């Protein structure tokens, strides 16, 4: 069996590690994986470092697409992916999540009648103004195999017309839907021990476990609007008066802060004693920060989950989330870019001594389940 895996954004590179690891351990003579990197994330700290640090197989192809508008970027990817799929003639094209790389891979593969495998299927924010929502819906409805990390995601697929009764052999007209657990939970379990022994991020920045807050900001609805971006940074600076806030600064956020905010405000952010701005960190360093933070404040879907994996309350800088389950546990709360809500939720979580994190993301064996289903079809 030959599988072409499409990756492009930093989280997809990490997610792909779990499937590549399962193939290497248990299917080395039965499944051949061809990895295509679209180049959607082109900064070395946002992409290249992960292949080295996590021992992920290096891409067989790199499209080097880089930045651009949604249309331009996606079109370039479709062109490059189509050429590779025609050359390789895979049995499946495997896609992750909801990025432009996902949409491009789904479009190219479906036009060439190559069955699509979508990992993280069924997730919905129910906000079609988000490009990611469009990408995930389109990919799901073009896919042959749909693997959902949560029961909620699986139920979303059923509500959209996917049948639970379909049986193999699965095809685009007879797709199979499965609740398999979260593939990032596989990776978090696998890499957590490695992070403990190899990451020096805490020592490098004199950070004490449970004495700092980890924050990440990158989504356009926060970064591209001065009012939102300013409100978030004002809240972080207020929190930083009593507890250090560590913010690995996404290139987009750094650029937009300089473009949108006035010079005096930027200076206050940069010079604030309790706000530690650092460059984007490696995956192992990120795990170390998540494991040792008191709390996480983020607009990232992946970081929301990882916070939950490591039993950390999460303040979500979005009006909605695909990960409804973590909201239902009470260990995460939506605050959007509202200054008052950010501080209120931070204070509530900081004072709560009875946090509970029930198991909702499986048992860390999603990659095993996925490969077994593909090989038995």
């Amino acid at each position: 069996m030959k599988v072409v895996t499409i990756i492009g954004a930093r989280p997809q590179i990490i997610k792909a590690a779990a499937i590549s690891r399962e193939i290497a351990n248990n299917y080395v003579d039965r499944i051949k994986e061809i990895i295509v990197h679209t180049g959607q994330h082109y900064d070395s700290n946002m992409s290249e470092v992960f292949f080295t640090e996590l021992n992920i197989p290096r891409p067989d192809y790199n499209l080097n697409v880089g930045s651009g508008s949604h249309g331009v970027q996606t079109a370039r990817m479709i062109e490059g992916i189509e050429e590779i799929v025609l050359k390789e003639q895979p049995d499946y094209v495997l896609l992750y999540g909801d990025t432009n790389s996902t949409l491009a891979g789904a479009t190219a593969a479906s036009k060439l009648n190559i069955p699509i495998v979508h990992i993280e299927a069924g997730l919905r924010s129910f906000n079609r103004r988000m490009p990611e929502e469009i990408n995930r819906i389109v990919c799901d409805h073009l896919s042959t195999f749909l693997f959902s990390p949560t029961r909620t995601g699986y139920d979303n697929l059923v509500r959209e017309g996917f049948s639970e009764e379909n049986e193999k052999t699965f095809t685009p007209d007879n797709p199979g839907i499965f609740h398999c657990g979260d593939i990032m939970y596989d990776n978090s379990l696998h890499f957590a021990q490695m992070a403990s022994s190899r990451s020096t991020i805490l020592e490098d920045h004199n950070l004490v476990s449970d004495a700092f807050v980890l924050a990440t900001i990158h989504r356009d609805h926060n970064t591209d609007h001065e009012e939102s971006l300013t409100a978030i940074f004002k809240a972080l600076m207020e929190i930083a008066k009593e507890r250090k806030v560590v913010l690995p600064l996404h290139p987009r956020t750094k650029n937009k802060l300089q473009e949108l905010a006035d010079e005096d405000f930027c200076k206050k952010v940069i010079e604030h004693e309790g706000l530690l701005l650092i460059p984007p960190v490696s995956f192992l360093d990120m795990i170390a920060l998540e494991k040792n933070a008191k709390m996480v404040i983020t607009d990232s879907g992946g970081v929301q989950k990882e916070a939950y994996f490591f039993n950390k309350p999460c303040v979500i800088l979005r009006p909605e989330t695909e990960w409804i389950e973590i909201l239902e546990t009470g260990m995460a709360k939506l605050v959007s870019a509202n200054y008052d809500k950010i501080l209120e939720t931070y204070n509530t979580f900081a004072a709560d001594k009875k946090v509970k994190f029930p198991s909702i993301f499986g048992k860390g064996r999603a990659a095993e389940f996925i490969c077994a289903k593909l090989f038995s079809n």
Side-chain angles (χ1 to χ4, degrees):
M1 179 188 295
K2 183 186 287 188
V3 176
V4 165
T5 296
I6 308 294
I7 56 176
R10 164 175 157 166
Q12 293 171 326
I13 298 168
I14 301 164
K15 291 167 190 172
I19 293 292
S20 297
R21 191 167 59 247
E22 177 64 17
I23 291 173
N25 290 341
N26 296 306
Y27 292 89
V28 67
D29 297 323
R30 295 181 287 172
I31 299 178
K32 181 178 181 181
E33 183 182 31
I34 306 294
I35 299 177
V36 178
H37 191 338
T38 65
Q40 182 174 336
H41 276 181
Y42 50 91
D43 183 282
S44 62
N45 286 331
M46 298 294 287
S47 175
E48 179 65 23
V49 66
F50 289 89
F51 294 105
T52 302
E53 181 186 41
L54 303 182
N55 297 318
I56 299 172
R58 289 190 169 276
D60 299 276
Y61 299 91
N62 195 321
L63 302 180
N64 295 308
V65 167
S67 62
S69 69
H70 287 288
V72 169
Q73 189 181 64
T74 305
R76 289 173 180 166
M77 291 177 188
I78 292 172
E79 182 180 13
I81 292 169
E82 180 182 67
E83 182 178 340
I84 293 166
V85 170
L86 284 170
K87 176 183 176 182
E88 295 290 347
Q89 292 294 308
D91 297 286
Y92 298 105
V93 167
L94 193 154
L95 304 169
Y96 293 90
D98 53 20
T99 68
N100 286 342
S101 298
T102 311
L103 178 64
T107 303
S110 64
K111 295 288 187 179
L112 297 173
N113 297 315
I114 305 297
I116 295 164
V117 179
H118 189 201
I119 296 176
E120 292 189 321
L123 304 183
R124 299 291 183 266
S125 67
F126 301 102
N127 176 6
R128 293 203 179 189
R129 292 171 298 174
M130 292 178 63
E132 295 89 349
E133 184 79 348
I134 302 301
N135 294 347
R136 61 175 73 106
I137 290 171
V138 171
C139 185
D140 278 345
H141 285 269
L142 294 177
S143 293
T144 292
F145 279 91
L146 298 94
F147 293 103
S148 178
T150 64
R151 186 71 203 184
T152 300
Y154 181 91
D155 292 342
N156 287 338
L157 294 173
V158 174
R159 278 194 295 272
E160 290 178 14
F162 288 89
S163 174
E164 298 178 275
E165 307 302 322
N166 290 354
E167 297 180 353
K168 65 179 186 181
T169 301
F170 298 110
T171 68
D173 293 319
N174 181 54
I177 62 173
F178 305 93
H179 174 205
C180 64
D182 198 300
I183 202 159
M184 276 306 295
Y185 190 40
D186 292 25
N187 278 327
S188 292
L189 293 176
H190 179 79
F191 290 118
Q193 187 173 358
M194 188 185 297
S196 296
S197 61
R198 287 174 49 179
S199 174
T200 62
I201 190 81
L202 300 184
E203 294 84 351
D204 292 345
H205 295 287
N206 298 313
L207 298 173
V208 177
S209 182
D210 211 35
F212 66 92
V213 171
L214 173 64
T216 74
I217 312 161
H218 79 281
R219 290 194 180 271
D220 57 4
H221 61 76
N222 285 327
T223 61
D224 294 7
H225 301 278
E226 184 172 4
E227 184 177 351
S228 297
L229 193 61
T230 301
I232 291 171
F233 271 100
K234 283 182 177 178
L236 293 180
M237 287 190 290
E238 186 65 27
I239 293 168
K241 290 178 181 178
E242 69 168 55
R243 193 186 303 272
K244 185 179 287 292
V245 175
V246 179
L247 176 60
L249 202 56
H250 192 286
R252 178 192 190 95
T253 310
K254 180 181 179 180
N255 293 337
K256 291 297 182 179
L257 182 64
Q258 293 170 342
E259 289 176 14
L260 297 176
D262 64 66
E263 188 174 337
D264 288 340
F265 183 76
C266 284
K267 186 176 181 181
K268 287 181 181 179
V269 170
I270 294 169
E271 296 181 354
H272 197 289
E273 285 188 7
L275 186 59
L276 177 61
L277 305 180
I278 60 176
V281 298
S282 71
F283 182 56
L284 294 184
D285 284 345
M286 191 63 177
I287 284 183
L289 290 172
E290 290 165 346
K291 283 180 64 178
N292 289 279
K294 174 71 174 179
M295 190 186 311
V296 175
I297 301 175
T298 187
D299 61 8
S300 163
V303 175
Q304 291 173 43
K305 286 190 302 172
E306 289 159 20
Y308 194 90
F309 295 160
F310 296 116
N311 295 346
K312 306 298 178 179
C314 187
V315 181
I316 303 174
L317 303 172
R318 289 171 54 182
E320 72 287 301
T321 180
E322 306 80 50
W323 306 107
I324 302 301
E325 291 85 354
I326 62 174
L327 297 181
E328 292 172 346
T329 67
M331 292 297 99
K333 187 172 181 179
L334 299 172
V335 298
S336 195
N338 186 297
Y339 172 86
D340 292 327
K341 287 184 178 180
I342 295 171
L343 293 183
E344 178 185 351
T345 304
Y346 164 79
N347 288 325
T348 299
F349 282 145
D352 189 357
K353 305 298 183 183
K354 298 180 179 179
V355 294
K356 294 182 179 179
F357 293 83
S359 176
I360 56 176
F361 289 109
K363 298 180 179 179
R365 301 177 68 178
E368 177 183 336
F369 180 94
I370 291 167
C371 287
K373 286 294 181 185
L374 294 185
F375 201 77
S376 65
N377 189 39

